[in-house]
Every structure is written in C-alpha cells, then in structure tokens.
Amino acid sequence: MKRLFVMLVLGTMAWASVRSQSPVSGIEYFQPGYSYRHLLNPAFVPLCGYVGIPVLGNLNASVGSNMGLSTLLYPLSDGSLGTFMHPEVDADAFMKKIHRRNYAGMDFQTALLSGGWFMGKSFWNVNVSVRGMLQMGLPYEFFEFAKKGMQGNPSEYTMENLEFSARAYLELAVGYARPIHPDITVGGKFKFLVGLTEMEFRAERVDAYLSEDVWKVNSSADFQVFGRLIDPDWPDRQSLPYLTLGDVRPSGYGIAVDMGAEYRPSFLPGLRFSLSLLDLGFLAYPAQDITRYSASGEVQYDGLEEIGPGLDVEEAIKNTLDDMFSMFDFGKTDVEKSVGRMLNPVLNMGVEYALWNNRFSVGLLNTTTFHHCYTENELSVVANLRPVRWFSFSLAYSFLAGANGLGWALNFSPDVGLNLFLASNYLPLSVSPQLIPLKRAHADIQFGLVVPLGRNRLAIEDKNPMDVNVFPYTPKDSFGGWKQAGQKGKKVKIR
C-alpha cells in the first residue's frame, strides 16, 4: 500500500539518524562501567563480564536532521498551521532556513543476545542484534523548485542527488581485546550480517524547464528494493509505488569489521588517546531478490500543488510525494547480477584526561559517520564523574552539523544484581507540544540492563576504592603486577 511508503518518509522527516551507523550514542564512550562500550571502540574493556537481558540489554534509538518542525510548518493568518508550500509562507524567509544539503535519518538497534567475559589478559564478547535505519537527502534546489516554481519565462533548475534509503538487518558479532604493550590495548570485532530488507530511491540528476507553454523534466533515477520482506508494485508509473509486506526470510548476507586501539602514555598518567573504525563492510543481495525500477528521459510535469490549512500531515506528505514522483517515468528493469551494498562506516577519535584520583575526567570525542546520503560530523565535550565504584554520571555538550545540544548518561554497576544504564546524547532544547524538535531534530535515547558476571581480574582492588584509580577499564594495568595508586603513592596488588 502507498501508506507504508508515506509512513516511512513521514517518520524520517518528523523525527529525522542519524547516526546511524554508530550503534550507540557518543556520551558513553568515556563511561568505564558501561558494559557495551566496546560497540564504540572494540579495544575498550568493561569493569566486569556481563550477560545482557534479551532485547533490553542494549536498546538504542536515535534520530537526526538539520531541519526541524519550524522549517516545514508555519502559522497562518487564520490561526492554523500550513506547510511551507502554502502561499502565505514567504518564499525568501523559507529558503533562508534551507541548507545546501538537507538530510534526515533514523537509527534503531536492540541486542537480542549478548555477553562478555574475561580469559586471562583478554576480553571476549558476543552480540546478536537487529539494526534498522532510514536516511533521506535533498538538495537546496529541490526546495527552491518546489516553493518558488516559475520565476521567469523560462526558469530552469538543476537538482542533484535526491536520495531516500531504508535498511534492516541482523548482526552476529564476535569481539576480542588484548593489551600488546603496557601502554597500548587493541581490539577487533568480526560481524556476520543477514539482510532482512533494503530500499533505495536515488535521482542523480533532475533538470527542470518551466515556461508559460510547458513544464518539462529530464531525469535519471532508480528505485530499488532488496529482499522479499517488502513487495513493491507500481501500476501508475508516475505516482507513489504500492508497498506491501512479503516473505520474512533472509535475503542477503555480508560481513563487517570493527577495529580500535587505546593508548595510555605512562609518562603522563590519566591521559588516554583512542581511535576506532566501525562497520567497515557490506551486504550482498542475489539478483533474484532485487526489484528495480528506472527512469530516464523527459516527461511533462504539472508542478507541485499548494497545500493549504486543514490538511493532515500524512495526507500533505502523500500529495507532495505523488507530485514529486510525477517528475519521473519509472519502468521495471531486469537485474542480472548480485549487488553489494556498503554499510555506513563510523570513525571515532577520542582523548580523555582524568583528575582528582580519577574521580573526574574530561573527554573530547570526534565522530564522523559516512551515510549513503550525506556525511555527518559531531564533536562532543564530555565531563565524567564517578564518586563511588558502582555509580558514574556523564554530561556532554555536542556540536553536530551546526546544531548544539546537551547529553547525559547514568550508569549503575554494582558487583551483584542488575546493572542499569540510561543515556541521551542529544536533547533538543526547543520542542513542540508533540515533542517534535522545532529547529534541528537531533535526539537519541539509550537503555541497557545487564547481569554482571564478576569483576575484571586485571582491575585494581583496594579496601578503600576512593583511594585508587577508579577508571581501570583496560587490561593495560596487568603489566608489571603492581600499580601506583592515588596521590599517596600506595601500591596495590592486581588479582
């Protein structure tokens, strides 16, 4: 049904990922008690082994966009709300809110089964999770064409890289970390991927010619569906496709790797450098599980309709998408070869310095996510406080694609019982009554619930935990057998 496609786009535009590809939000990068830190850097080792509660062990949902509700909806003279297409909305005022590249995305992950344990100086972890993501990218010229239309006789527009994609897959991962030097820990993770479904619309170039006599569009575009979970049908080639649910079965396979390292220079205790590259891999789909529609050449075009008040948002987006797809004349094409699809790699670079017997630390994290539709950079300053061994709190301020926001994280990690983690890497500071961000839609929430299996044997133990290094979260301390602890210079034995 068309409603499925509309709801996918509506969800992407309203709550915008971002991050996607990063399996967790960035603030927990510096949280030593968080069991799943190895998802951000496979060289990171937790304070204890763990078994994750199924589904709830690591649950993460994130959204991101450089547009917000106030970019798309405007108050009208009669007190109602109208979209940017309404004639009362000033074109120049609207275009000032549009970027050269406008994007939106959503990302979701949950760990079905997960666990980690220590073997000597090494740390092993396994993870079976489901991941899903949506991404959309539109150029400035698309909104200019939609809003301003014909400004002269004739008017011409060139729009490049109109994109929408969705993906869901199952991930089976095995990770390993080990010190290779007293100052250096390295880690890696191998992932086997099972594709569930994937969908992509991409128009590399659209040239629009508008005159008093005729409006015509010359385009080159593809619409592809990978797998059999979504079954497309396109009886009207110049309207939205009909999408229905099909067979639930594996439709593609792939592999990916994570790599990471941490350096803790012995000449400056408390300083830590880290680097990781995540999700470097691909998914491959056989030709028989790929449905492809292509459009090329010239079509006559009636233009985008003005959307007035009183129209619900879903209907407005459906009409807009119908108008947009009428620019293309899609036809089904044969697929003869298998197709490989790259994942969205993530590059993390971090530096941290600990103070006050390591009860407090300050970290700087730069994250670059390589999406299909765009590249996103985030810089976060994180302050970490750990007054006792079993509790830590982090506060972060992030600079994300021109949008700034606060983040926080709480971690309760007693030696027995359940360990609880809550975090949000980006809280929107201006929202509507429906909790939709007004300016730039960036937000995420992370929840984790695990059962500890026992403390890291390489971590420092002492009767007074406040007098020792409370951030001994790598096996580096195993070298030498003894560790200088606290400002008093007391030595404690590593068990």
Side-chain angles (χ1 to χ4, degrees):
M1 63 185 82
K2 290 187 180 181
R3 179 180 175 86
L4 177 60
F5 190 88
V6 172
M7 293 307 295
L8 285 172
V9 177
L10 178 61
T12 307
M13 294 183 68
W15 270 99
S17 138
V18 112
R19 301 159 120 291
S20 89
Q21 2 335 88
S22 181
V24 291
S25 56
I27 192 171
E28 59 268 40
Y29 193 90
F30 301 111
Q31 277 268 351
Y34 178 53
S35 300
Y36 292 93
R37 288 177 69 242
H38 56 79
L39 295 180
L40 282 168
N41 189 328
F44 287 161
V45 175
L47 295 175
C48 62
Y50 68 92
V51 173
I53 303 299
V55 180
L56 300 179
N58 180 45
L59 184 63
N60 179 47
S62 61
V63 297
S65 176
N66 58 356
M67 299 183 293
L69 190 64
S70 62
T71 307
L72 305 175
L73 299 180
Y74 294 82
L76 304 178
S77 58
D78 61 359
S80 63
L81 284 177
T83 70
F84 67 91
M85 293 294 293
H86 194 276
E88 287 189 20
V89 179
D90 182 72
D92 293 332
F94 166 69
M95 293 308 302
K96 288 180 181 179
K97 298 182 180 181
I98 302 301
H99 305 268
R100 298 309 306 174
R101 188 68 183 163
N102 304 274
Y103 65 84
M106 302 175 63
D107 199 341
F108 171 81
Q109 178 181 13
T110 182
L112 304 179
L113 298 171
S114 59
W117 65 94
F118 292 92
M119 293 183 63
K121 299 177 181 179
S122 304
F123 175 73
W124 290 84
N125 59 85
V126 296
N127 196 62
V128 179
S129 60
V130 174
R131 297 183 64 178
M133 57 201 69
L134 296 173
Q135 299 170 20
M136 176 185 291
L138 296 172
Y140 176 92
E141 292 76 13
F142 171 80
F143 291 95
E144 184 181 32
F145 165 70
K147 179 60 180 173
K148 293 186 175 181
M150 192 173 119
Q151 304 178 69
N153 186 25
S155 295
E156 297 185 35
Y157 296 91
T158 297
M159 296 162 276
E160 295 182 339
N161 296 326
L162 285 75
E163 299 167 301
F164 172 84
S165 65
R167 170 187 287 166
Y169 63 91
L170 183 70
E171 179 181 285
L172 297 87
V174 177
Y176 176 79
R178 181 181 177 85
I180 60 172
H181 182 272
D183 296 342
I184 301 174
T185 301
V186 298
K189 188 171 295 186
F190 176 80
K191 303 176 180 180
F192 179 71
L193 312 177
V194 180
L196 301 177
T197 189
E198 187 167 351
M199 180 172 56
E200 180 189 58
F201 164 78
R202 179 180 177 86
E204 294 185 358
R205 183 182 176 97
V206 178
D207 295 309
Y209 177 86
L210 285 61
S211 70
E212 293 180 352
D213 299 325
V214 64
W215 286 24
K216 54 186 179 181
V217 174
N218 196 301
S219 63
S220 174
D222 289 295
F223 180 79
Q224 302 181 93
V225 176
F226 304 87
R228 296 302 177 189
L229 181 62
I230 296 178
D231 187 17
D233 187 23
W234 216 324
D236 183 356
R237 297 186 303 176
Q238 288 185 283
S239 179
L240 280 175
Y242 288 84
L243 303 177
T244 57
L245 295 179
D247 299 333
V248 181
R249 62 180 177 85
S251 55
Y253 299 94
I255 58 174
V257 295
D258 295 350
M259 299 173 286
E262 184 185 38
Y263 173 53
R264 304 174 69 184
S266 55
F267 60 85
L268 188 56
L271 183 63
R272 308 176 182 102
F273 299 94
S274 57
L275 178 69
S276 65
L277 180 61
L278 312 176
D279 288 337
L280 186 62
F282 66 93
L283 273 164
Y285 297 90
Q288 64 268 22
D289 286 339
I290 302 174
T291 304
R292 178 181 297 160
Y293 294 86
S294 297
S296 61
E298 186 177 281
V299 298
Q300 292 196 9
Y301 179 56
D302 296 329
L304 292 174
E305 296 180 0
E306 294 177 350
I307 300 173
L311 193 65
D312 65 76
V313 177
E314 182 180 341
E315 185 68 18
I317 292 179
K318 175 188 176 298
N319 292 345
T320 302
L321 289 173
D322 270 328
D323 290 338
M324 187 180 75
F325 272 87
S326 68
M327 294 190 296
F328 309 98
D329 185 13
F330 281 98
K332 193 171 184 179
T333 59
D334 294 331
V335 180
E336 299 179 353
K337 297 181 180 180
S338 299
V339 175
R341 305 281 296 166
M342 293 296 296
L343 300 185
N344 302 328
V346 177
L347 178 65
N348 289 316
M349 296 181 289
V351 59
E352 182 185 17
Y353 187 70
L355 305 167
W356 302 336
N357 276 358
N358 291 299
R359 294 176 179 87
F360 176 78
S361 73
V362 177
L364 186 65
L365 174 65
N366 183 80
T367 299
T368 302
T369 306
F370 303 93
H371 298 279
H372 288 169
C373 306
Y374 56 93
T375 298
E376 189 175 46
N377 288 285
E378 178 186 68
L379 182 64
S380 300
V381 180
V382 185
N384 310 285
L385 178 65
R386 191 179 181 201
V388 292
R389 186 189 298 276
W390 54 268
F391 171 74
S392 56
F393 172 75
S394 296
L395 190 65
Y397 189 75
S398 299
F399 308 83
L400 177 59
N404 305 338
L406 294 174
W408 57 271
L410 290 171
N411 187 68
F412 300 88
S413 53
D415 294 342
V416 295
L418 291 176
N419 290 2
L420 173 66
F421 181 82
L422 287 171
S424 178
N425 197 57
Y426 192 97
L427 292 178
L429 303 180
S430 178
V431 298
S432 72
Q434 295 78 27
L435 301 181
I436 299 176
L438 292 175
K439 294 183 179 180
R440 291 178 174 87
H442 287 284
D444 60 42
I445 188 70
Q446 176 117 9
F447 176 82
L449 198 60
V450 303
V451 178
L453 292 180
R455 297 190 59 79
N456 180 356
R457 295 186 306 154
L458 303 177
I460 299 172
E461 302 287 351
D462 190 76
K463 293 181 180 180
N464 181 10
M466 299 303 298
D467 194 38
V468 300
N469 181 356
V470 294
F471 282 149
Y473 52 80
T474 73
K476 176 249 182 183
D477 300 326
S478 64
F479 288 92
W482 295 90
K483 174 71 178 181
Q484 200 75 17
Q487 295 179 354
K488 298 180 182 179
K490 182 176 61 177
K491 292 182 179 180
V492 290
K493 185 67 175 179
I494 298 174
R495 297 180 180 177

